[in-house]
Amino acid sequence: MSKKQPQGAPDQTDQPAAPHLEVIPLGGMGEIGKNITAYRYGDEIMVVDGGLAFPDSHQMGIDLIIPRIDYLQQHAGLIKGWILTHGHEDHIGGLPYILPRLPRVPVYGAPLTLGLVREKLAEFGLREGEIDLRDVDIDTNEKVRIGTHFHVEFIRMTHSIPDNAGYILSTPAGKIVHTGDFKLDEEPSDGKLSDLHRIEAAGKEGVLLLISDSTNAERPGRTVSEAEVARNLEEVIRNCRGRVFMTTFASNVHRVQNVINIAHRLSRRVVMEGRSMIKYAQVAQSLGYMELPEPFLANDEVGSLQDQQVLYVCTGSQGQPMSVLSRLAFGNHAKIALRRGDTVILSSNPIPGNEEAVNLVINRLYEIGVDVVYPPAYRVHASGHGSQEELATVLNLARPKYFLPWHGEPRHQINHARLAQTLPRPPKRTLIAKNGDIVRVSEDDFKVTGTVPAGAVYVDGLGVGDVGDDVLLDRVNMSQEGVMIMTAILHPTPHVEIVSRGFVRSNRELDAQIRKVALEAVEQGMREKKRLEDVRDDMYGSVRRFVRKVTGRNPVLIPMIVD
Amino acid sequence: MSKKQPQGAPDQTDQPAAPHLEVIPLGGMGEIGKNITAYRYGDEIMVVDGGLAFPDSHQMGIDLIIPRIDYLQQHAGLIKGWILTHGHEDHIGGLPYILPRLPRVPVYGAPLTLGLVREKLAEFGLREGEIDLRDVDIDTNEKVRIGTHFHVEFIRMTHSIPDNAGYILSTPAGKIVHTGDFKLDEEPSDGKLSDLHRIEAAGKEGVLLLISDSTNAERPGRTVSEAEVARNLEEVIRNCRGRVFMTTFASNVHRVQNVINIAHRLSRRVVMEGRSMIKYAQVAQSLGYMELPEPFLANDEVGSLQDQQVLYVCTGSQGQPMSVLSRLAFGNHAKIALRRGDTVILSSNPIPGNEEAVNLVINRLYEIGVDVVYPPAYRVHASGHGSQEELATVLNLARPKYFLPWHGEPRHQINHARLAQTLPRPPKRTLIAKNGDIVRVSEDDFKVTGTVPAGAVYVDGLGVGDVGDDVLLDRVNMSQEGVMIMTAILHPTPHVEIVSRGFVRSNRELDAQIRKVALEAVEQGMREKKRLEDVRDDMYGSVRRFVRKVTGRNPVLIPMIVD
């Protein structure tokens, strides 16, 4: 069978006789996070990105989430190459887990993107040679061939990280435009505009399929420009009399560069605080994406400066408990203490799920008495994703026959689809796809023909995939009601010990009652000479009913019998 | 000592020789939720409201939170009366827990407020006579005397529930204006405007202290009127071709009334779905706050109607898992199934902390293919709390000497305080108070002179106060890492059993390694004839180190020794 595979019987994933193009999103479709997309034509697969996602509130204790790649592992021999659109975690953060599990193929990306990947691989102890990273130049629309069927032309798109790319993919089935993450910033910090010319040109040649960023499909108008944010930041900082502490996403290199320039103009020296802020700045500097008019100061060197001569750029825009800003807000930073007269600028919005943590930090900052500056009262942040007008511009230029709204939850995908229908030349067909869908696309056809395994692999501590939904369900249950362990010791005299965690404050009377109920069940079972498993189940049932009745709760009960 | 108490040595809570006025917030100051405020003058205490709060994400498994009332219990004999501003849970939801623990005193409130309290007390099995509820008429500015020192005049203020009141409190120390929760709706649904005349009159007579609602102190402009929301809802519903499902806060009786009227005008019959929606409608109808142009239909009676003749009003605006809307969205409602052509209107915004749950419901609704209407794309909701212009209006009319921004987190209180400073006649002094602060106020003095116990009591199942922060910490830890129980059985041959929940998928090899590590520690301890507690601690330490090393995790470890 294995030798015959290319000609084998067609099934959901194997290759039937007549080659056609399949788009197979393995992450990032119907969600925001862990982007990874496979294209298959005949016996060739090309992959785009390999991101991670962060857990929601029910995925307790999980560090991060990577996409399932069963499909890629099952067809590992067909993978001809990989391209990366940009260096955000939701596009490259899964690579250290994914790439080592697959054959070594060329991985193409822009210099900053690959610089961040290299940094990441080094953190995971992967040697450079194990992964075949190849720089491409977005500015010259560098083209790469992957396998024999995939011709990729990189196109610059503005976003909240430099070197962000979309691409035009030419295949025997037709031309695909994938925007990647984008906004259409008319005043990008590096002066490099989105390459709408190439999208327009592709549109004139004929675009079979457009895959476009849906993140802000519910937002009317245009997303604010990075230059506007910089002007507003400068205005705020100019009016500060004391020290300034500014936080943003560490990966937003342009924003950080702008703040460095503002600080220089306003005669403030910059101190970088926080591991990820320093890491991104180092990678960006080393590759020429960040220029320092003056070197950064270390915090120890600040002593001689006056308050209005200092600006700290620090981590913590999402209220992360160990970040610099959180430590400052809660007064447990080892070296720096905030005080009245300081200004803290959150040049960021909370990502969904982080609202509570960010709100806590903001309230603590107010309590300290510092001035706190954040959106929307101050327009010191802009999304990296285009709003409805920008999405419409791309749709109008690309004039695709078919349309896949991507990089969004169903609400974003469907509003993106509706937007497309309002335009002068709406797509002939739009699909709302999900991770794992096999989307077949040709001039005559655009439909989901099957599915492949897709979903989440949980990374927890050193474990990858050893925590599943069953384990998470136990965590959720214990978080709600606590756990109680009942150990029945049968010899020499039967007795029961009770230990609980997260249930109620230790309560001798309640414990004694529970021990009594448990012991009665055990003794009755022994009198009736039941099997030990049955005695254990009886004890479990009796205690469950009793605890529910007297406390109204259902702790996770763990019964044990020691014979 | 006890006989001498009124003349006793002054301390933080007892009464010194010269009587003065104290404002003692026990809940709702520095937070949004569980409002309760005590006023003390000499040996008399008056209390306002008794609300509950909902847990944040770290208060795992907690059903609800009520305020600590140690201060009231310690001075129970001084409490002369109680007033209620309105019927929201954060103002009356704690009363079934609080009132039975204190002496019976008159409790004054408007009819709808007391109707909701009666409903609540009945649910808790409290007999009517146990609590002394007394109706007041807000429309005639009814005045009540509490003790000898407190004269309360109720004033109408518009909010998102009918019969909402602020009050003017006259005391020997001076006059206090407390807005209660409010917005200044210029087109309230019942035609009853906020009583700004009385606030203005008080301002001319001289207001010593203003206590005002800070919830929306960060929002510029004015809060949208309820009438505007009704117009927008009518516009949306008029354009619906199929069934309409609308959700909002069940307590927003005016909103529900407006939707009932809209349905009638558009020839749709109304079906109420969900326990709390039905409960509020019943109480409101029975007291004359809701009028039905046609009776509600039961869902079984809908059969003969066409889709465009039905409108469901249902629970679930906050994405609560057992609510009607959630069951509809997840397809597990016993009697009703959503389908393409239906429209679901969320006439609400998620309360902070509920964003994720509401987002999940919205996405599921999109996936079903129904039309989903919600803010901000559609202006079908308005806050019940006034924005900056409304707050300024009240400050300008009341012209208080002193100011306590209330009903807000520090960010809201401090922005409210700053707003006050920008006005033509700013308060002489503003305090940012916290729950438990004793705020002494007289013509010459406005300061915090001490504190009383204040904070949260957790209600969990049938337990009130038996879950504390120590128990919650265990829950948080178990939710992150799971729990592992190691039972060392010493006789006849020492061996160790391992059980875990929420740790990792069952893993024989890992379990065997852990058992080995634990057993080695036990055997060594026994060889060295250590005490059993020390053997247990050794086992704990060895396993903790081993597990951390091989898994990178720290489950909650519970070591047990069976001798």
Side-chain angles (χ1 to χ4, degrees):
Chain A
M1 265 307 276
S2 61
K3 272 185 73 183
K4 285 174 63 186
Q5 195 186 16
Q7 293 80 35
D11 69 14
Q12 284 196 339
T13 57
D14 281 334
Q15 179 55 27
H20 51 255
L21 181 63
E22 292 171 344
V23 186
I24 306 173
L26 295 172
M29 192 67 91
E31 67 176 340
I32 293 180
K34 65 176 169 63
N35 292 278
I36 178 169
T37 306
Y39 293 93
R40 179 167 179 174
Y41 188 87
D43 55 1
E44 294 184 346
I45 289 174
M46 168 184 125
V47 192
V48 181
D49 290 338
L52 57 76
F54 294 101
D56 71 27
S57 67
H58 291 89
Q59 291 160 331
M60 292 178 165
I62 296 298
D63 297 328
L64 50 92
I65 296 167
I66 56 174
R68 282 184 67 175
I69 53 163
D70 311 44
Y71 174 76
L72 297 179
Q73 290 175 305
Q74 285 159 16
H75 301 85
L78 308 186
I79 302 172
K80 302 301 174 193
W82 209 293
I83 70 173
L84 305 178
T85 61
H86 66 289
H88 276 156
E89 290 290 350
D90 60 330
H91 290 260
I92 65 165
L95 294 177
Y97 303 94
I98 295 170
L99 291 181
R101 288 174 164 76
L102 294 170
R104 186 173 182 278
V105 296
V107 178
Y108 299 94
L112 181 64
T113 307
L114 295 193
L116 292 168
V117 171
R118 284 193 185 92
E119 179 78 17
K120 199 170 281 297
L121 296 176
E123 278 173 31
F124 279 75
L126 292 162
R127 274 172 305 119
E128 171 96 33
E130 292 177 57
I131 314 289
D132 179 11
L133 299 178
R134 303 191 185 183
D135 271 13
V136 293
D137 183 356
I138 309 179
D139 287 322
T140 60
N141 292 103
E142 185 163 341
K143 298 177 187 62
V144 299
R145 204 182 69 179
I146 290 180
T148 54
H149 298 311
F150 299 112
H151 291 73
V152 181
E153 175 183 358
F154 285 83
I155 55 174
R156 176 172 297 282
M157 299 295 281
T158 49
H159 188 42
S160 44
I161 189 167
D163 260 4
N164 181 69
Y167 57 91
I168 298 171
L169 172 64
S170 299
T171 74
K175 207 183 284 292
I176 294 178
V177 172
H178 182 190
T179 61
D181 293 16
F182 80 100
K183 67 197 267 189
L184 300 182
D185 195 331
E186 299 295 346
E187 298 180 83
S189 299
D190 56 6
K192 294 177 177 177
L193 293 162
S194 297
D195 194 351
L196 296 180
H197 295 292
R198 288 301 302 132
I199 294 180
E200 187 179 24
K204 285 181 178 159
E205 294 157 25
V207 171
L208 181 64
L209 172 66
L210 173 69
I211 305 177
S212 181
D213 177 355
S214 310
T215 313
N216 282 339
E218 294 193 58
R219 291 201 199 164
R222 292 186 71 90
T223 298
V224 170
S225 164
E226 196 57 38
E228 173 70 19
V229 171
R231 285 190 287 272
N232 296 337
L233 280 169
E234 182 150 3
E235 172 80 13
V236 166
I237 297 169
R238 175 169 295 127
N239 291 319
C240 294
R241 305 270 200 87
R243 299 182 299 178
V244 172
F245 295 80
M246 179 267 196
T247 185
T248 189
F249 301 93
S251 60
N252 199 329
V253 173
H254 288 317
R255 181 86 47 89
V256 174
Q257 176 73 65
N258 286 337
V259 167
I260 290 168
N261 296 346
I262 292 166
H264 186 60
R265 284 196 289 275
L266 300 176
S267 305
R268 287 179 183 263
R269 294 295 297 273
V270 174
V271 184
M272 300 293 272
E273 284 287 332
R275 209 178 60 89
S276 72
M277 200 56 83
I278 291 164
K279 185 189 80 179
Y280 277 94
Q282 279 172 345
V283 173
Q285 279 177 78
S286 71
L287 296 171
Y289 292 84
M290 188 180 280
E291 286 181 12
L292 306 188
E294 295 171 282
F296 294 134
L297 279 193
N299 182 53
D300 328 348
E301 301 170 298
V302 168
S304 61
L305 297 178
Q306 294 184 294
D307 285 356
Q308 67 271 31
Q309 294 177 313
V310 193
L311 184 147
Y312 290 84
V313 177
C314 54
T315 52
S317 73
Q318 296 304 307
Q320 308 94 310
M322 298 308 295
S323 67
V324 174
L325 186 59
S326 287
R327 284 183 282 143
L328 291 171
F330 288 90
N332 48 26
H333 191 284
K335 295 183 176 170
I336 310 169
L338 292 179
R339 52 179 185 255
R340 213 167 270 273
D342 292 337
T343 301
V344 174
I345 304 171
L346 290 101
S347 181
S348 54
N349 269 326
I351 292 171
N354 296 340
E355 296 91 347
E356 189 181 310
V358 173
N359 188 47
L360 204 59
V361 166
I362 288 177
N363 275 315
R364 293 302 295 253
L365 293 170
Y366 272 104
E367 289 180 299
I368 293 170
V370 305
D371 288 316
V372 201
V373 171
Y374 48 91
Y378 296 85
R379 296 186 9 137
V380 291
H381 178 63
S383 169
H385 301 271
S387 303
Q388 287 171 353
E389 284 184 22
E390 292 149 273
L391 304 183
T393 297
V394 167
L395 279 155
N396 283 335
L397 292 175
R399 304 188 213 166
K401 185 166 193 177
Y402 303 123
F403 178 36
L404 267 186
W406 159 83
H407 204 286
E409 300 168 3
R411 59 190 289 177
H412 311 118
Q413 294 175 289
I414 290 170
N415 278 295
H416 201 177
R418 286 184 187 156
L419 174 71
Q421 286 314 113
T422 67
L423 298 177
R425 286 184 56 157
K428 191 175 157 198
R429 181 139 195 237
T430 298
L431 283 183
I432 305 301
K434 290 193 285 287
N435 292 332
D437 282 347
I438 301 172
V439 180
R440 183 185 296 193
V441 54
S442 69
E443 282 297 338
D444 309 317
D445 216 10
F446 182 50
K447 64 181 179 196
V448 176
T449 58
T451 58
V452 305
V457 175
Y458 300 129
V459 178
D460 184 359
L462 301 178
V464 178
D466 61 352
V467 169
D469 289 327
D470 49 340
V471 173
L472 288 186
L473 188 61
D474 278 338
R475 290 187 185 173
V476 169
N477 289 337
M478 291 191 297
S479 77
Q480 297 300 303
E481 310 267 0
V483 65
M484 178 183 290
I485 303 105
M486 309 164 284
T487 310
I489 298 136
L490 302 187
H491 301 292
T493 319
H495 64 287
V496 176
E497 293 186 6
I498 300 284
V499 179
S500 72
R501 290 284 189 282
F503 175 51
V504 293
R505 284 209 188 98
S506 67
N507 179 332
R508 280 164 182 276
E509 193 188 343
L510 180 62
D511 280 359
Q513 289 174 328
I514 295 171
R515 277 202 305 272
K516 184 160 166 282
V517 168
L519 186 58
E520 279 168 9
V522 169
E523 287 177 336
Q524 180 173 347
M526 289 176 71
R527 276 196 303 275
E528 295 173 8
K529 305 204 183 304
K530 287 188 177 179
R531 293 184 311 161
L532 283 189
E533 302 94 280
D534 295 332
V535 174
R536 193 188 58 200
D537 291 352
D538 289 352
M539 175 171 74
Y540 175 92
S542 300
V543 171
R544 168 158 298 293
R545 283 187 296 275
F546 177 77
V547 167
R548 191 183 290 161
K549 190 174 130 220
V550 301
T551 70
R553 297 178 212 179
N554 283 309
V556 173
L557 288 183
I558 304 179
M560 300 173 74
I561 302 261
V562 177
D563 189 8
Chain B
M1 267 308 274
S2 63
K3 273 186 72 184
K4 284 173 66 187
Q5 196 188 14
Q7 291 80 34
D11 69 14
Q12 283 197 339
T13 58
D14 281 333
Q15 179 56 27
H20 51 254
L21 181 64
E22 292 170 347
V23 185
I24 307 173
L26 296 171
M29 193 67 91
E31 66 175 341
I32 293 180
K34 66 175 169 65
N35 292 277
I36 178 169
T37 307
Y39 293 93
R40 180 167 178 175
Y41 188 87
D43 54 2
E44 294 185 345
I45 289 174
M46 170 184 123
V47 192
V48 181
D49 290 340
L52 57 75
F54 294 100
D56 70 27
S57 68
H58 290 91
Q59 291 159 332
M60 291 179 166
I62 296 298
D63 296 329
L64 50 94
I65 296 167
I66 56 174
R68 281 185 66 176
I69 53 163
D70 310 45
Y71 174 76
L72 298 178
Q73 289 176 306
Q74 284 158 17
H75 301 86
L78 307 186
I79 303 172
K80 301 302 175 191
W82 210 294
I83 68 173
L84 305 178
T85 60
H86 65 290
H88 277 156
E89 290 291 348
D90 60 331
H91 291 260
I92 65 165
L95 295 177
Y97 303 94
I98 296 170
L99 291 181
R101 288 173 165 75
L102 295 170
R104 186 174 183 276
V105 295
V107 179
Y108 299 95
L112 181 64
T113 308
L114 296 193
L116 292 168
V117 171
R118 284 193 184 92
E119 180 79 15
K120 198 169 280 296
L121 297 175
E123 277 174 29
F124 278 76
L126 292 162
R127 275 170 303 119
E128 170 98 31
E130 292 176 57
I131 313 289
D132 179 10
L133 299 177
R134 302 189 186 184
D135 271 14
V136 292
D137 183 355
I138 309 178
D139 287 323
T140 60
N141 291 103
E142 186 162 340
K143 297 177 186 65
V144 299
R145 206 182 68 180
I146 289 178
T148 55
H149 298 311
F150 299 111
H151 290 72
V152 181
E153 176 183 358
F154 284 84
I155 57 173
R156 176 173 296 283
M157 298 296 280
T158 48
H159 188 41
S160 44
I161 188 169
D163 261 4
N164 181 69
Y167 58 89
I168 299 171
L169 172 64
S170 300
T171 74
K175 208 183 283 292
I176 294 178
V177 172
H178 182 189
T179 61
D181 292 17
F182 81 101
K183 66 198 266 190
L184 299 182
D185 194 332
E186 299 295 346
E187 297 181 84
S189 299
D190 56 7
K192 294 176 177 176
L193 294 161
S194 298
D195 194 351
L196 295 180
H197 294 294
R198 288 302 300 134
I199 294 180
E200 187 179 24
K204 285 182 178 159
E205 294 158 23
V207 171
L208 182 63
L209 173 64
L210 172 69
I211 306 177
S212 182
D213 176 354
S214 309
T215 313
N216 281 341
E218 294 192 60
R219 291 200 198 164
R222 295 185 69 90
T223 298
V224 170
S225 164
E226 196 57 39
E228 174 70 18
V229 171
R231 285 190 288 271
N232 296 338
L233 281 169
E234 182 151 3
E235 173 78 14
V236 167
I237 297 170
R238 174 170 310 178
N239 290 321
C240 293
R241 304 274 199 84
R243 298 182 300 178
V244 172
F245 295 80
M246 179 266 196
T247 185
T248 189
F249 301 95
S251 61
N252 199 329
V253 173
H254 288 318
R255 181 86 47 90
V256 175
Q257 175 74 64
N258 286 336
V259 167
I260 290 169
N261 297 345
I262 291 166
H264 185 61
R265 285 198 289 276
L266 299 176
S267 305
R268 287 179 183 264
R269 294 295 297 274
V270 174
V271 184
M272 300 293 271
E273 283 288 332
R275 210 178 60 88
S276 72
M277 201 54 85
I278 291 165
K279 185 190 81 177
Y280 277 94
Q282 279 172 344
V283 173
Q285 278 179 79
S286 70
L287 295 170
Y289 291 84
M290 188 180 278
E291 286 181 13
L292 306 189
E294 293 173 282
F296 293 134
L297 280 193
N299 183 52
D300 328 349
E301 301 169 301
V302 168
S304 60
L305 298 178
Q306 294 184 295
D307 286 355
Q308 69 271 30
Q309 294 176 312
V310 193
L311 184 148
Y312 290 84
V313 177
C314 55
T315 53
S317 72
Q318 297 304 306
Q320 309 94 310
M322 298 307 296
S323 67
V324 174
L325 185 59
S326 287
R327 284 183 282 143
L328 290 171
F330 288 89
N332 49 25
H333 192 286
K335 295 183 175 171
I336 309 170
L338 292 179
R339 53 180 185 254
R340 213 169 270 271
D342 293 336
T343 300
V344 174
I345 305 170
L346 290 100
S347 179
S348 54
N349 269 326
I351 292 171
N354 295 342
E355 296 90 348
E356 189 181 309
V358 173
N359 188 47
L360 203 59
V361 166
I362 288 176
N363 274 316
R364 293 303 294 253
L365 293 171
Y366 273 104
E367 288 181 299
I368 293 170
V370 304
D371 287 317
V372 201
V373 171
Y374 48 91
Y378 296 85
R379 294 182 17 133
V380 291
H381 178 62
S383 169
H385 300 271
S387 302
Q388 288 171 352
E389 285 183 21
E390 292 150 274
L391 304 182
T393 297
V394 167
L395 280 155
N396 284 335
L397 292 175
R399 305 188 212 164
K401 187 165 191 178
Y402 303 122
F403 177 38
L404 268 185
W406 159 85
H407 204 287
E409 300 168 3
R411 59 191 288 177
H412 311 117
Q413 294 175 288
I414 289 170
N415 278 296
H416 202 177
R418 285 182 188 158
L419 174 71
Q421 286 313 115
T422 66
L423 299 177
R425 288 183 54 157
K428 193 175 154 199
R429 182 141 196 237
T430 298
L431 284 183
I432 306 300
K434 289 193 285 285
N435 292 332
D437 281 348
I438 300 172
V439 180
R440 184 184 296 192
V441 55
S442 68
E443 281 298 337
D444 309 317
D445 215 12
F446 181 52
K447 64 182 179 195
V448 175
T449 58
T451 59
V452 306
V457 176
Y458 300 128
V459 179
D460 184 359
L462 302 177
V464 178
D466 62 352
V467 170
D469 288 327
D470 49 341
V471 173
L472 288 187
L473 188 60
D474 278 338
R475 290 187 186 173
V476 169
N477 288 339
M478 291 192 297
S479 77
Q480 297 300 303
E481 310 268 2
V483 64
M484 178 183 289
I485 302 104
M486 309 164 283
T487 309
I489 298 137
L490 303 188
H491 300 292
T493 319
H495 63 288
V496 176
E497 294 187 3
I498 300 283
V499 179
S500 71
R501 289 286 188 282
F503 175 52
V504 292
R505 285 211 187 96
S506 67
N507 179 333
R508 279 164 183 277
E509 193 187 342
L510 180 62
D511 281 357
Q513 289 174 329
I514 295 170
R515 276 202 306 272
K516 182 158 167 281
V517 168
L519 186 59
E520 279 168 8
V522 169
E523 287 176 338
Q524 180 173 346
M526 289 176 71
R527 277 195 302 277
E528 295 172 8
K529 304 207 184 301
K530 286 188 177 178
R531 293 184 311 161
L532 283 189
E533 301 94 280
D534 295 331
V535 174
R536 192 188 58 200
D537 292 350
D538 288 352
M539 174 171 74
Y540 175 92
S542 300
V543 171
R544 167 158 301 293
R545 283 187 297 275
F546 177 78
V547 167
R548 192 182 290 161
K549 190 175 132 220
V550 300
T551 70
R553 298 178 212 179
N554 284 308
V556 172
L557 287 184
I558 304 180
M560 300 174 73
I561 302 261
V562 177
D563 189 7

